[in-house]
Each structure stands twice: as C-alpha cells, then as structure tokens.
Amino acid sequence: MEAEDFLETFNPSGEPEVTYLLYEIQWGNSRRVWRNWCRSIHPEHAEMIFLENEEIHDRPHIPCNITWFLTWTPCGACAHDIIEFLDERPNVTLDIRASQLYRPHDRRNRRGLRYLAEEGVQISIMDLSDYDYCWDTFVDHQGEMVQWDFSDEIWFNSQRLQSILNPF
C-alpha cells in the first residue's frame, strides 16, 4: 500500500473514512506466508471483502493462521460474520490487531468484540512493533523512515479494549 495511505488510515487518533486490512496467511505447516491487503469499498467493509476472497474458500480443510492489521476493530455486524466464517473452518486461527476501536460506545460493537474473543480470536491494539512491522512489510515507503509518536493513544486504546473484553 502507499505510505501516505498507511500514515493517514493507521493513525490511532485519526478518523479515516476508509478501512484497510493488511493480512498474512500461513497455510498448514508451510513456512511461507502469503501477504496482501484490501480496503473497504462503500458499502462493503474490508473484513467482508477479505472473507469473500476465493482463495480463502478454496482450502477449507487446510489449517491456517491468519493475522489482520486493521485500521479499526470490526463492527458488531462484521464480528458476527467473522464468527460464522470461523465456525465453518475450525482449523483457522485469527489474530486481529487494530489501530483503534471502531465506535466503542456502541454496545453492538462491544458485544461483537467480546463474542470474537470468546470464540478464540486474539484481539489487540497495534503496538509500536506492529507499526514498524507493517511499515516494513506492507508499505511502499521508498526507504523512508518513520518515528511513531503513538504511545499514549496505544495505551489508551489498549485499556479501553481490555475494559470491553473484560467488563467485570
């Protein structure tokens, strides 16, 4: 993806209109990792575009580990569809790392995140090492170096996510 798009949409204090989903898939015992990205195209969310990818559906019985780096955490409706996808594929593990929380005051979104966690999905807020990794792995940055200044936002979003996942 373009450096400008990454810097704009993965800023944890921004409010991007487009959601990017950077992903890695490791099939079976292979050491090879398949990497790519997609983005939301109104009205379809990035998560749904990923789940509709034919290559994901071509190998339903092969175990795989999927890691997503998302602009936002999934909304409640996407969480439901992600759980449905995972229920059909018990050999799939999913790790979601998001830049920030999507409408965290909406109870459907909070409930969706809790359901994902209850179903075994790892959900976290991207840390500085995730930003470095995405920058080096997914971004066409032409050798440009970036100094991230997101520590406060990361801490705040991480605390907020934990209060959603563990409300009591």
Side-chain angles (χ1 to χ4, degrees), residues 24-36:
E24 297 183 325
I25 302 174
Q26 186 172 14
W27 297 99
N29 294 324
S30 173
R31 292 179 189 210
R32 188 169 179 224
V33 177
W34 182 44
R35 295 177 178 96
N36 209 338

Side-chain angles (χ1 to χ4, degrees), residues 134-157:
C134 288
W135 184 255
D136 291 338
T137 306
F138 294 99
V139 178
D140 181 16
H141 55 75
Q142 306 294 314
E144 180 183 349
M145 301 298 286
V146 176
Q147 191 76 16
W148 310 113
D149 188 23
F150 300 149
S151 296
D152 291 342
E153 291 89 347
I154 290 170
W155 182 86
F156 178 78
N157 286 325

Side-chain angles (χ1 to χ4, degrees), residues 31-167:
R31 292 179 189 210
R32 188 169 179 224
V33 177
W34 182 44
R35 295 177 178 96
N36 209 338
W37 61 271
C38 59
R39 57 171 271 195
S40 60
I41 301 171
H42 188 73
E44 198 157 14
H45 293 196
E47 298 92 333
M48 302 318 307
I49 291 170
F50 175 89
L51 295 178
E52 293 168 0
N53 184 323
E54 287 181 28
E55 293 176 8
I56 303 299
H57 295 282
D58 286 348
R59 306 174 187 190
H61 302 294
I62 298 175
C64 73
N65 299 315
I66 302 172
T67 302
W68 287 356
F69 299 94
L70 276 161
T71 303
W72 304 96
T73 53
C75 70
C78 285
H80 173 77
D81 291 336
I82 293 165
I83 291 169
E84 222 173 72
F85 171 83
L86 293 172
D87 284 346
E88 294 169 3
R89 291 161 187 80
N91 296 329
V92 173
T93 61
L94 178 60
D95 180 356
I96 298 175
R97 302 173 194 188
S99 173
Q100 58 184 308
L101 298 163
Y102 180 71
R103 298 185 181 170
H105 298 294
D106 184 315
R107 73 183 137 107
R108 292 169 296 190
N109 295 340
R110 290 192 312 268
R111 190 174 357 180
L113 292 173
R114 282 193 294 272
Y115 289 156
L116 286 169
E118 289 168 6
E119 291 294 317
V121 175
Q122 297 296 310
I123 305 170
S124 62
I125 296 298
M126 291 174 61
D127 62 24
L128 294 176
S129 66
D130 291 324
Y131 280 94
D132 285 338
Y133 181 78
C134 288
W135 184 255
D136 291 338
T137 306
F138 294 99
V139 178
D140 181 16
H141 55 75
Q142 306 294 314
E144 180 183 349
M145 301 298 286
V146 176
Q147 191 76 16
W148 310 113
D149 188 23
F150 300 149
S151 296
D152 291 342
E153 291 89 347
I154 290 170
W155 182 86
F156 178 78
N157 286 325
S158 295
Q159 294 302 307
R160 187 179 242 177
L161 176 60
Q162 288 311 308
S163 71
I164 291 170
L165 297 179
N166 303 306

Side-chain angles (χ1 to χ4, degrees), residues 12-28:
S13 60
E15 293 197 21
E17 294 180 21
V18 175
T19 300
Y20 279 86
L21 188 158
L22 315 177
Y23 60 90
E24 297 183 325
I25 302 174
Q26 186 172 14
W27 297 99

